[in-house]
Amino acid sequence: MASLITDQFIDYAKGEFRLDWHGIHGASHWARVRRNGLLLAAQTGANTRVVEYFAFIHDLGRRNDDHDPEHGLRAAGLARELAGELIDVTEVELGLLVHACEGHSEGHLEADVTVMTCWDADRLDLGRVGIVPDPSRLCTAAARDRDLLAAAYRRSIQGFLERGYGCRYLPTS
């Protein structure tokens, strides 16, 4: 599947993103969230356009890698700002994207299937920060699938193992 994310969007994101492009909330995380989301969408029926844009926008407004409770709201604002320019969404898709961005770090479990797929796609990448995703905190049955969960976890830790972050980010138990 060809990506909706254009070179112009990537250029914008590089200028907008305040954190380490290769860090825990950077481009490699976004790519894994995209992959997770598209794999999930094939099973959930989620809108893949929303899922893909969510992957690249949801952490774009972060100001730090730690506690940043307003980053979802900032991401939603960016989605509204970019709609019609760097992202091509209908009004309905924009509403779903905004909802997904606003609530993605709140721990919610109920929403439209597309929004839940977005949230799960992000949560499946928690291994990068030393957290094994808890199936009870995932929204969809597709995300709770044991094989999909294990594969997503392996992907989430791979880059950090390669960079030598294993001791810092991997759980000890």
Side-chain angles (χ1 to χ4, degrees):
M1 170 184 240
S3 178
L4 297 173
I5 305 303
T6 64
D7 290 342
Q8 292 82 11
F9 179 90
I10 296 298
D11 289 344
Y12 171 85
K14 284 180 178 176
E16 182 72 23
F17 194 56
R18 297 180 180 192
L19 307 178
D20 179 358
W21 186 254
H22 302 287
I24 61 174
H25 290 104
S28 59
H29 166 58
W30 305 344
R32 287 188 305 274
V33 171
R34 176 186 182 269
R35 182 171 181 184
N36 292 340
L38 294 178
L39 288 170
L40 291 171
Q43 296 180 48
T44 66
N47 181 313
T48 58
R49 297 175 62 75
V50 173
V51 167
E52 187 166 357
Y53 285 127
F54 169 83
F56 283 81
I57 293 174
H58 76 284
D59 281 339
L60 190 54
R62 272 194 164 276
R63 295 192 177 148
N64 64 65
D65 280 325
D66 297 312
H67 186 67
D68 186 359
E70 302 298 314
H71 81 278
L73 295 174
R74 287 191 296 274
L78 287 171
R80 287 185 195 97
E81 179 183 319
L82 299 176
E85 293 184 34
L86 293 177
I87 62 172
D88 180 22
V89 290
T90 67
E91 285 298 315
V92 170
E93 289 170 334
L94 180 59
L96 292 169
L97 179 58
V98 164
H99 185 188
C101 287
E102 286 175 344
H104 81 273
S105 60
E106 301 297 317
H108 301 300
L109 296 174
E110 294 290 328
D112 176 273
V113 68
T114 295
V115 173
M116 292 189 304
T117 298
C118 291
W119 293 343
D120 282 351
D122 187 35
R123 292 170 188 170
L124 286 172
D125 199 46
L126 286 170
R128 78 194 192 287
V129 293
I131 300 170
V132 178
D134 178 350
S136 71
R137 293 179 176 225
L138 297 171
C139 304
T140 65
R144 292 186 295 271
D145 175 82
R146 185 179 188 158
D147 293 335
L148 189 141
L149 190 55
Y153 182 73
R154 282 192 302 274
R155 282 192 302 275
S156 73
I157 64 172
Q158 188 60 42
F160 290 91
L161 289 174
E162 291 169 357
R163 289 191 203 108
Y165 292 132
C167 294
R168 179 174 173 195
Y169 291 105
L170 291 180
T172 56
S173 57

